[in-house]
Amino acid sequence: QAQLVESGGGLVQPGGSLTLSCTAFGFTFSDYAMNWYRQTPGKGRDLVASISNGGGSQKYENSVKGRFTISRDNSKNTLYLQMNSLSPEDTGVYYCNTCPGRFGIGHSCKNWGQGTQVTVSS
């Protein structure tokens, strides 16, 4: 049974940094491209970053370009999201998923883990 477990969220001040982790269980992690999504109350769940299965290609939603870095360590079955220069607009629950989406358009993903809360506030 496939499972993804997000961790690393917390409270951070504007301008600060945070690194999220997503650990995969129950499937061949290295076979899949991976994605980070963000859920904002009343706004839905939007794709913020994606990475190819080998880690060589990374893509980002426009608002996080230059600030966020997606990476992965396939030997550890773990996906990461390094978030720098955080602003209140980055607040939300962050989820990882094998399910692909489109930046600024949406997704049709159905299965989600618990996510990890990121709050950017003074």
Side-chain angles (χ1 to χ4, degrees), residues 37 43-48 60-62 100-109:
Y37 292 84
K43 289 269 190 172
R45 199 168 299 182
D46 299 319
L47 180 67
V48 298
Y60 302 92
E61 192 272 325
N62 287 336
R102 292 185 178 184
F103 296 106
I105 296 176
H107 65 84
S108 57
C109 310

Side-chain angles (χ1 to χ4, degrees), residues 26-74:
F27 67 98
T28 305
F29 180 70
S30 60
D31 284 350
Y32 292 84
M34 293 296 299
N35 310 274
W36 282 103
Y37 292 84
R38 178 172 62 215
Q39 173 78 50
T40 302
K43 289 269 190 172
R45 199 168 299 182
D46 299 319
L47 180 67
V48 298
S50 62
I51 189 168
S52 59
N53 65 324
S57 179
Q58 310 94 43
K59 296 183 178 182
Y60 302 92
E61 192 272 325
N62 287 336
S63 71
V64 310
K65 286 181 180 176
R67 300 188 298 117
F68 288 15
T69 302
I70 188 170
S71 62
R72 65 194 296 162
D73 186 342
N74 286 343

Side-chain angles (χ1 to χ4, degrees), residues 69-122:
T69 302
I70 188 170
S71 62
R72 65 194 296 162
D73 186 342
N74 286 343
S75 72
K76 297 179 179 179
N77 288 350
T78 302
L79 175 73
Y80 303 97
L81 186 66
Q82 174 68 51
M83 305 183 294
N84 298 321
S85 301
L86 286 162
S87 70
E89 293 73 46
D90 297 315
T91 293
V93 181
Y94 285 73
Y95 301 84
C96 59
N97 212 308
T98 57
C99 180
R102 292 185 178 184
F103 296 106
I105 296 176
H107 65 84
S108 57
C109 310
K110 298 176 182 178
N111 302 121
W112 303 91
Q114 85 287 353
T116 186
Q117 175 73 47
V118 173
T119 303
V120 185
S121 176
S122 298

